[in-house]
Amino acid sequence: SLDEVGFIKSRSEDDYHKLLEAYHRRCLRTPRLSGIIRGQGVKRVDCLDHRTAWWGMWDVWAADGTWSLRLNLM
C-alpha cells in the first residue's frame, strides 16, 4: 500500500530506491504486460529485491506477550 511505501521511504532513502529499482525490474520482465503491471504499482514482493529463495520462518515473543513473525530469505 502507499502507507507501506511511505514508511519505507521515511526510514531510508536508499531502501526506497532499491524498492523502486526492483519494481521497475519486475515490470520489465514481462514486456507485453508492463503497462498492466506498472498500473498495479509497487508490491510487497518488490521489497525482497533479489532475495526470493525461502529459507525459513519462526515466531519471536516479546516480554509484553506480543509476538512477531520473522522470515529469512537467501
Side-chain angles (χ1 to χ4, degrees):
S1 75
L2 290 176
D3 291 339
E4 292 168 329
V5 172
F7 174 73
I8 290 170
K9 187 174 184 179
S10 72
R11 258 189 29 203
S12 165
E13 198 69 29
D14 187 48
D15 287 346
Y16 176 67
H17 288 294
K18 287 179 185 177
L19 173 69
L20 292 181
E21 288 172 10
Y23 163 66
H24 291 295
R25 277 194 310 271
R26 183 171 55 82
C27 292
L28 292 174
R29 276 196 301 257
T30 51
R32 293 184 181 191
L33 298 174
S34 67
I36 294 170
I37 293 172
R38 197 177 315 279
Q40 294 172 346
V42 173
K43 293 188 174 189
R44 289 182 178 153
V45 70
D46 298 324
C47 293
L48 300 176
D49 197 21
H50 293 292
R51 301 170 301 154
T52 56
W54 177 260
W55 182 75
M57 173 175 66
W58 62 95
D59 58 346
V60 177
W61 289 87
D64 64 359
T66 60
W67 63 276
S68 61
L69 188 62
R70 303 287 170 99
L71 23 126
N72 204 348
L73 305 168
M74 291 193 222

